[in-house]
Amino acid sequence: MNKTLWEKVLAFSFDQPNDQYGFSTRLALENHWTIHFTQSAIIEYKKFLFLAATNNEMVSPSAIVDIVWHQHLIFTNSYSDFCDLLGKRIEHIPSTHNRSEFDKFKIAKERTKELYEVNFGPQLAEIWHYHNELDSLHLERSKYEILKLRKNFLIYTIALSFPVCLAIFSFLIKINNPNFLIVYLLLFVVVILFLKFYVRKSFLLLYDKIKNNFILQNLTALEMVFFKENKRDAVVHGVVNNLIINHKIKILTNDRLELIDESFVENRYENCIVEIMKDFEPMSYKELCKTALQKPIFEQLQKATYRIRNRIFDSKEFANVVIVVMSILGFLLSIGFSRFITGVWRGKPITFLLFAIIPLALISLYYINQVLNLMFTTIIPSVFEDKARIVAAYEKNWEWDYFLYGNIVLASSFLPLINYNTNSVSPNNLTSSGSCGTSSCGTSSCGTSSCGSSCGSSCGGCGGD
């Protein structure tokens, strides 16, 4: 292995300093990847092209490495500079899917694995062994659409009330109204308490199954802030607060913010805020937050975390827990509706029963929504709190402190400014604002190496003179 060349390859940066929509941000945003996974994919891509440049035989990338490669080809200047560093132009040519090519590329993949292990050790499974890295969670997809079931929960419950009424009619007419209502309300409380215990235990078991996953283990503090708070503006609060604490932003007497230090730091989120404020006179925090939320760097946080949420959300394990909750609450409500139907049919007083059923139905809907978010706003963040405390014990890190303590760490002068109406996102509202920034596009193909690729799915390979 040419260690000198590899060190140069590893040090080569695909991003320009303080570029708000640079290579890695664009790659993460368009593929809905987490920050750490994006950086890992870039490193694996560098390893692949290093192998292509230092070997005369064909090598073949994984699907994820190929995604990085496709984007790098668009950044023509960077790609040319990188190939110059490698000392060899790596050409990317689409595969024709001929049988002869299939066998050739199969051999190339096997050769790539051998060369990789000789030079770098075992391949990173999430990047080399899966077309979709979230398949590494090994979660079976549910055949039920949970959001559709939630939307129609009351309709299904009311429909269930009629057969339930027929089944327990003789029992219902024997119970007096006050006794039924008291027992029914007590039963509802007991059921909710039981479900709380059941849901938490079930979700902890689900997380225990996936906790060692490479992607989940390496979520950043600000990605966890979004998981916990379920809104991007919470991330912006933390970033702006740190700039205020470090005296880079000043709060004026009219509650507007003024940039007093334009120098950049290592934190790219803080640099994004500084870049925004350079173009404005002192501005209100609401205006600053609204502008920041449009930036790709903040949009990426939402898209990456929601992709993970959706994969867990659509899993059979997650759906089974939610279906149990809906079934028990639906059956319990159907008993109340059955009592209501029986009372109407027999001409009995139903006013108090109606006043009880309506709040219980609303409570059931509220609790179902709580269950849908519990895994992401409570279970996963609670596990990460231990990691955050370990980090905080060894180094000063405002991001993990903010994840741990939330608004408690915000400056007292800044707190009043964040209290304006903002819309949080929910599991069935995953749209986000358009990204700001553009990139020039181009293609590059020249030199002594060849590569076969089935663009859009997988790449055949490259290398071989």
Side-chain angles (χ1 to χ4, degrees), residues 174-209:
K174 295 179 182 178
I175 307 176
N176 295 328
N177 270 337
N179 293 333
F180 173 83
L181 199 55
I182 293 171
V183 172
Y184 186 64
L185 291 174
L186 288 175
L187 179 62
F188 206 92
V189 171
V190 171
V191 167
I192 290 292
L193 293 175
F194 165 76
L195 288 177
K196 281 181 173 290
F197 171 78
Y198 164 76
V199 168
R200 184 171 182 83
K201 183 177 180 181
S202 299
F203 282 163
L204 284 172
L205 289 174
L206 172 56
Y207 182 72
D208 190 61
K209 176 182 177 180

Tab-separated table of all heavy atoms in Angstrom, residues 174-209:
chain	number	residue	atom	x	y	z
A	174	LYS	N	-78.084	-4.523	32.466
A	174	LYS	CA	-78.175	-4.887	33.877
A	174	LYS	C	-77.430	-3.915	34.790
A	174	LYS	O	-77.570	-3.978	36.013
A	174	LYS	CB	-77.624	-6.295	34.088
A	174	LYS	CG	-78.429	-7.391	33.403
A	174	LYS	CD	-77.799	-8.749	33.632
A	174	LYS	CE	-78.578	-9.853	32.917
A	174	LYS	NZ	-77.936	-11.192	33.110
A	175	ILE	N	-76.594	-3.043	34.209
A	175	ILE	CA	-75.768	-2.135	35.016
A	175	ILE	C	-76.388	-0.748	35.023
A	175	ILE	O	-76.715	-0.194	33.964
A	175	ILE	CB	-74.330	-2.052	34.465
A	175	ILE	CG1	-73.721	-3.449	34.309
A	175	ILE	CG2	-73.455	-1.197	35.377
A	175	ILE	CD1	-72.350	-3.446	33.688
A	176	ASN	N	-76.568	-0.193	36.222
A	176	ASN	CA	-77.116	1.159	36.327
A	176	ASN	C	-76.107	2.180	35.817
A	176	ASN	O	-74.899	1.976	35.880
A	176	ASN	CB	-77.485	1.467	37.778
A	176	ASN	CG	-78.617	0.572	38.274
A	176	ASN	OD1	-79.484	0.193	37.492
A	176	ASN	ND2	-78.586	0.227	39.555
A	177	ASN	N	-76.629	3.317	35.362
A	177	ASN	CA	-75.791	4.354	34.769
A	177	ASN	C	-74.659	4.844	35.673
A	177	ASN	O	-73.516	4.877	35.241
A	177	ASN	CB	-76.643	5.547	34.319
A	177	ASN	CG	-77.112	5.361	32.876
A	177	ASN	OD1	-76.504	4.627	32.124
A	177	ASN	ND2	-78.202	6.014	32.518
A	178	PRO	N	-74.937	5.236	36.918
A	178	PRO	CA	-73.812	5.758	37.730
A	178	PRO	C	-72.720	4.721	37.924
A	178	PRO	O	-71.535	5.035	37.831
A	178	PRO	CB	-74.474	6.121	39.066
A	178	PRO	CG	-75.914	6.315	38.720
A	178	PRO	CD	-76.203	5.331	37.647
A	179	ASN	N	-73.115	3.472	38.184
A	179	ASN	CA	-72.121	2.421	38.405
A	179	ASN	C	-71.316	2.142	37.146
A	179	ASN	O	-70.095	1.960	37.189
A	179	ASN	CB	-72.810	1.131	38.861
A	179	ASN	CG	-73.423	1.288	40.240
A	179	ASN	OD1	-72.965	2.099	41.039
A	179	ASN	ND2	-74.470	0.526	40.524
A	180	PHE	N	-72.001	2.117	35.992
A	180	PHE	CA	-71.301	1.862	34.732
A	180	PHE	C	-70.273	2.954	34.460
A	180	PHE	O	-69.130	2.668	34.090
A	180	PHE	CB	-72.298	1.793	33.564
A	180	PHE	CG	-71.624	1.709	32.228
A	180	PHE	CD1	-71.176	0.495	31.728
A	180	PHE	CD2	-71.393	2.860	31.471
A	180	PHE	CE1	-70.527	0.415	30.499
A	180	PHE	CE2	-70.742	2.786	30.247
A	180	PHE	CZ	-70.313	1.563	29.761
A	181	LEU	N	-70.685	4.196	34.640
A	181	LEU	CA	-69.794	5.313	34.323
A	181	LEU	C	-68.561	5.323	35.213
A	181	LEU	O	-67.446	5.547	34.749
A	181	LEU	CB	-70.555	6.631	34.453
A	181	LEU	CG	-69.946	7.851	33.755
A	181	LEU	CD1	-69.707	7.569	32.283
A	181	LEU	CD2	-70.845	9.055	33.923
A	182	ILE	N	-68.763	5.054	36.498
A	182	ILE	CA	-67.635	5.040	37.435
A	182	ILE	C	-66.655	3.914	37.089
A	182	ILE	O	-65.442	4.127	37.004
A	182	ILE	CB	-68.138	4.886	38.890
A	182	ILE	CG1	-68.908	6.138	39.311
A	182	ILE	CG2	-66.969	4.638	39.842
A	182	ILE	CD1	-69.622	5.996	40.641
A	183	VAL	N	-67.204	2.699	36.870
A	183	VAL	CA	-66.355	1.553	36.539
A	183	VAL	C	-65.657	1.773	35.200
A	183	VAL	O	-64.472	1.459	35.032
A	183	VAL	CB	-67.192	0.257	36.503
A	183	VAL	CG1	-66.351	-0.909	35.968
A	183	VAL	CG2	-67.711	-0.073	37.897
A	184	TYR	N	-66.394	2.356	34.256
A	184	TYR	CA	-65.842	2.582	32.910
A	184	TYR	C	-64.679	3.568	32.949
A	184	TYR	O	-63.635	3.336	32.326
A	184	TYR	CB	-66.953	3.102	32.001
A	184	TYR	CG	-66.536	3.245	30.549
A	184	TYR	CD1	-66.182	2.145	29.792
A	184	TYR	CD2	-66.516	4.504	29.938
A	184	TYR	CE1	-65.809	2.281	28.460
A	184	TYR	CE2	-66.147	4.648	28.608
A	184	TYR	CZ	-65.788	3.533	27.873
A	184	TYR	OH	-65.432	3.671	26.561
A	185	LEU	N	-64.818	4.642	33.703
A	185	LEU	CA	-63.747	5.630	33.805
A	185	LEU	C	-62.526	5.053	34.519
A	185	LEU	O	-61.390	5.291	34.108
A	185	LEU	CB	-64.242	6.875	34.534
A	185	LEU	CG	-65.276	7.728	33.775
A	185	LEU	CD1	-65.796	8.855	34.671
A	185	LEU	CD2	-64.671	8.302	32.504
A	186	LEU	N	-62.774	4.272	35.583
A	186	LEU	CA	-61.660	3.633	36.298
A	186	LEU	C	-60.940	2.631	35.396
A	186	LEU	O	-59.709	2.547	35.393
A	186	LEU	CB	-62.168	2.942	37.560
A	186	LEU	CG	-62.599	3.860	38.711
A	186	LEU	CD1	-63.196	3.033	39.856
A	186	LEU	CD2	-61.422	4.682	39.222
A	187	LEU	N	-61.714	1.883	34.612
A	187	LEU	CA	-61.128	0.912	33.691
A	187	LEU	C	-60.269	1.619	32.646
A	187	LEU	O	-59.183	1.144	32.299
A	187	LEU	CB	-62.238	0.108	33.012
A	187	LEU	CG	-61.787	-0.941	31.984
A	187	LEU	CD1	-60.918	-2.003	32.666
A	187	LEU	CD2	-62.997	-1.572	31.298
A	188	PHE	N	-60.740	2.760	32.184
A	188	PHE	CA	-59.990	3.523	31.190
A	188	PHE	C	-58.646	3.977	31.751
A	188	PHE	O	-57.616	3.898	31.070
A	188	PHE	CB	-60.816	4.741	30.744
A	188	PHE	CG	-60.475	5.218	29.366
A	188	PHE	CD1	-61.166	4.739	28.260
A	188	PHE	CD2	-59.450	6.122	29.161
A	188	PHE	CE1	-60.859	5.165	26.976
A	188	PHE	CE2	-59.125	6.555	27.888
A	188	PHE	CZ	-59.830	6.074	26.795
A	189	VAL	N	-58.643	4.440	32.991
A	189	VAL	CA	-57.400	4.881	33.624
A	189	VAL	C	-56.427	3.715	33.765
A	189	VAL	O	-55.234	3.839	33.471
A	189	VAL	CB	-57.696	5.505	35.007
A	189	VAL	CG1	-56.398	5.773	35.759
A	189	VAL	CG2	-58.492	6.792	34.859
A	190	VAL	N	-56.945	2.570	34.210
A	190	VAL	CA	-56.099	1.387	34.385
A	190	VAL	C	-55.505	0.946	33.049
A	190	VAL	O	-54.314	0.606	32.958
A	190	VAL	CB	-56.908	0.231	35.016
A	190	VAL	CG1	-56.101	-1.068	35.003
A	190	VAL	CG2	-57.305	0.578	36.443
A	191	VAL	N	-56.312	0.965	32.010
A	191	VAL	CA	-55.848	0.554	30.679
A	191	VAL	C	-54.753	1.492	30.171
A	191	VAL	O	-53.741	1.039	29.624
A	191	VAL	CB	-57.033	0.508	29.687
A	191	VAL	CG1	-56.520	0.401	28.246
A	191	VAL	CG2	-57.933	-0.672	30.006
A	192	ILE	N	-54.925	2.792	30.349
A	192	ILE	CA	-53.911	3.749	29.911
A	192	ILE	C	-52.594	3.506	30.640
A	192	ILE	O	-51.508	3.522	30.033
A	192	ILE	CB	-54.381	5.203	30.135
A	192	ILE	CG1	-55.510	5.563	29.172
A	192	ILE	CG2	-53.228	6.186	29.972
A	192	ILE	CD1	-55.095	5.645	27.723
A	193	LEU	N	-52.655	3.268	31.952
A	193	LEU	CA	-51.447	2.995	32.726
A	193	LEU	C	-50.771	1.713	32.254
A	193	LEU	O	-49.534	1.647	32.143
A	193	LEU	CB	-51.790	2.895	34.216
A	193	LEU	CG	-52.252	4.190	34.890
A	193	LEU	CD1	-52.664	3.920	36.333
A	193	LEU	CD2	-51.138	5.240	34.852
A	194	PHE	N	-51.580	0.696	31.975
A	194	PHE	CA	-51.021	-0.560	31.459
A	194	PHE	C	-50.357	-0.340	30.105
A	194	PHE	O	-49.252	-0.844	29.847
A	194	PHE	CB	-52.117	-1.614	31.337
A	194	PHE	CG	-51.717	-2.798	30.498
A	194	PHE	CD1	-50.859	-3.770	30.993
A	194	PHE	CD2	-52.176	-2.928	29.180
A	194	PHE	CE1	-50.466	-4.845	30.210
A	194	PHE	CE2	-51.794	-3.997	28.396
A	194	PHE	CZ	-50.939	-4.963	28.909
A	195	LEU	N	-51.017	0.413	29.229
A	195	LEU	CA	-50.465	0.658	27.896
A	195	LEU	C	-49.172	1.447	27.963
A	195	LEU	O	-48.254	1.213	27.171
A	195	LEU	CB	-51.497	1.388	27.029
A	195	LEU	CG	-52.694	0.552	26.556
A	195	LEU	CD1	-53.672	1.416	25.766
A	195	LEU	CD2	-52.241	-0.633	25.713
A	196	LYS	N	-49.081	2.385	28.898
A	196	LYS	CA	-47.844	3.140	29.067
A	196	LYS	C	-46.683	2.201	29.378
A	196	LYS	O	-45.582	2.328	28.821
A	196	LYS	CB	-48.005	4.188	30.166
A	196	LYS	CG	-48.755	5.447	29.740
A	196	LYS	CD	-48.838	6.426	30.887
A	196	LYS	CE	-49.431	7.745	30.438
A	196	LYS	NZ	-48.515	8.502	29.561
A	197	PHE	N	-46.932	1.272	30.280
A	197	PHE	CA	-45.903	0.300	30.647
A	197	PHE	C	-45.563	-0.601	29.458
A	197	PHE	O	-44.383	-0.832	29.145
A	197	PHE	CB	-46.388	-0.544	31.818
A	197	PHE	CG	-45.499	-1.718	32.141
A	197	PHE	CD1	-44.315	-1.539	32.849
A	197	PHE	CD2	-45.841	-3.006	31.712
A	197	PHE	CE1	-43.487	-2.623	33.131
A	197	PHE	CE2	-45.018	-4.083	31.993
A	197	PHE	CZ	-43.842	-3.893	32.704
A	198	TYR	N	-46.589	-1.087	28.780
A	198	TYR	CA	-46.400	-2.007	27.647
A	198	TYR	C	-45.646	-1.323	26.504
A	198	TYR	O	-44.701	-1.902	25.941
A	198	TYR	CB	-47.758	-2.510	27.161
A	198	TYR	CG	-47.710	-3.144	25.793
A	198	TYR	CD1	-47.200	-4.429	25.613
A	198	TYR	CD2	-48.170	-2.452	24.670
A	198	TYR	CE1	-47.140	-5.003	24.353
A	198	TYR	CE2	-48.117	-3.024	23.401
A	198	TYR	CZ	-47.606	-4.289	23.250
A	198	TYR	OH	-47.545	-4.851	22.003
A	199	VAL	N	-46.045	-0.109	26.167
A	199	VAL	CA	-45.434	0.600	25.045
A	199	VAL	C	-43.966	0.893	25.321
A	199	VAL	O	-43.093	0.669	24.472
A	199	VAL	CB	-46.202	1.907	24.742
A	199	VAL	CG1	-45.419	2.789	23.773
A	199	VAL	CG2	-47.572	1.596	24.176
A	200	ARG	N	-43.680	1.396	26.510
A	200	ARG	CA	-42.290	1.725	26.841
A	200	ARG	C	-41.404	0.481	26.818
A	200	ARG	O	-40.296	0.508	26.254
A	200	ARG	CB	-42.215	2.396	28.209
A	200	ARG	CG	-40.805	2.856	28.558
A	200	ARG	CD	-40.770	3.710	29.798
A	200	ARG	NE	-39.423	4.171	30.063
A	200	ARG	CZ	-38.858	5.233	29.493
A	200	ARG	NH1	-39.540	5.937	28.612
A	200	ARG	NH2	-37.630	5.589	29.781
A	201	LYS	N	-41.890	-0.597	27.399
A	201	LYS	CA	-41.107	-1.833	27.418
A	201	LYS	C	-40.894	-2.362	26.001
A	201	LYS	O	-39.788	-2.794	25.642
A	201	LYS	CB	-41.811	-2.890	28.272
A	201	LYS	CG	-41.024	-4.186	28.404
A	201	LYS	CD	-41.709	-5.179	29.324
A	201	LYS	CE	-40.897	-6.466	29.438
A	201	LYS	NZ	-41.562	-7.455	30.326
A	202	SER	N	-41.931	-2.316	25.180
A	202	SER	CA	-41.842	-2.828	23.805
A	202	SER	C	-40.883	-1.992	22.969
A	202	SER	O	-40.083	-2.533	22.192
A	202	SER	CB	-43.232	-2.828	23.154
A	202	SER	OG	-44.117	-3.667	23.856
A	203	PHE	N	-40.939	-0.676	23.130
A	203	PHE	CA	-40.050	0.189	22.355
A	203	PHE	C	-38.607	0.068	22.821
A	203	PHE	O	-37.674	0.191	22.020
A	203	PHE	CB	-40.518	1.639	22.432
A	203	PHE	CG	-41.696	1.943	21.534
A	203	PHE	CD1	-42.462	3.075	21.730
A	203	PHE	CD2	-42.029	1.100	20.498
A	203	PHE	CE1	-43.536	3.369	20.900
A	203	PHE	CE2	-43.108	1.361	19.661
A	203	PHE	CZ	-43.856	2.507	19.862
A	204	LEU	N	-38.398	-0.167	24.106
A	204	LEU	CA	-37.041	-0.400	24.592
A	204	LEU	C	-36.464	-1.683	24.001
A	204	LEU	O	-35.280	-1.751	23.653
A	204	LEU	CB	-37.022	-0.465	26.119
A	204	LEU	CG	-37.132	0.876	26.850
A	204	LEU	CD1	-37.310	0.661	28.353
A	204	LEU	CD2	-35.896	1.747	26.588
A	205	LEU	N	-37.313	-2.713	23.880
A	205	LEU	CA	-36.871	-3.961	23.253
A	205	LEU	C	-36.552	-3.748	21.780
A	205	LEU	O	-35.579	-4.304	21.251
A	205	LEU	CB	-37.955	-5.036	23.413
A	205	LEU	CG	-38.161	-5.585	24.821
A	205	LEU	CD1	-39.366	-6.522	24.866
A	205	LEU	CD2	-36.912	-6.331	25.295
A	206	LEU	N	-37.370	-2.921	21.112
A	206	LEU	CA	-37.113	-2.619	19.708
A	206	LEU	C	-35.799	-1.857	19.555
A	206	LEU	O	-34.981	-2.177	18.673
A	206	LEU	CB	-38.276	-1.792	19.139
A	206	LEU	CG	-38.079	-1.220	17.722
A	206	LEU	CD1	-37.765	-2.329	16.723
A	206	LEU	CD2	-39.318	-0.450	17.291
A	207	TYR	N	-35.573	-0.872	20.417
A	207	TYR	CA	-34.328	-0.112	20.312
A	207	TYR	C	-33.119	-0.991	20.653
A	207	TYR	O	-32.055	-0.832	20.054
A	207	TYR	CB	-34.350	1.107	21.226
A	207	TYR	CG	-33.091	1.932	21.086
A	207	TYR	CD1	-32.874	2.696	19.947
A	207	TYR	CD2	-32.099	1.903	22.057
A	207	TYR	CE1	-31.707	3.428	19.783
A	207	TYR	CE2	-30.929	2.639	21.906
A	207	TYR	CZ	-30.744	3.395	20.769
A	207	TYR	OH	-29.574	4.095	20.605
A	208	ASP	N	-33.301	-1.911	21.593
A	208	ASP	CA	-32.206	-2.815	21.952
A	208	ASP	C	-31.777	-3.651	20.748
A	208	ASP	O	-30.602	-4.014	20.615
A	208	ASP	CB	-32.652	-3.730	23.099
A	208	ASP	CG	-31.500	-4.524	23.680
A	208	ASP	OD1	-30.549	-3.901	24.187
A	208	ASP	OD2	-31.543	-5.768	23.614
A	209	LYS	N	-32.726	-3.910	19.847
A	209	LYS	CA	-32.431	-4.689	18.640
A	209	LYS	C	-31.588	-3.903	17.649
A	209	LYS	O	-30.774	-4.482	16.922
A	209	LYS	CB	-33.755	-5.123	17.990
A	209	LYS	CG	-33.593	-5.863	16.678
A	209	LYS	CD	-34.935	-6.227	16.073
A	209	LYS	CE	-34.760	-6.901	14.706
A	209	LYS	NZ	-36.052	-7.274	14.089
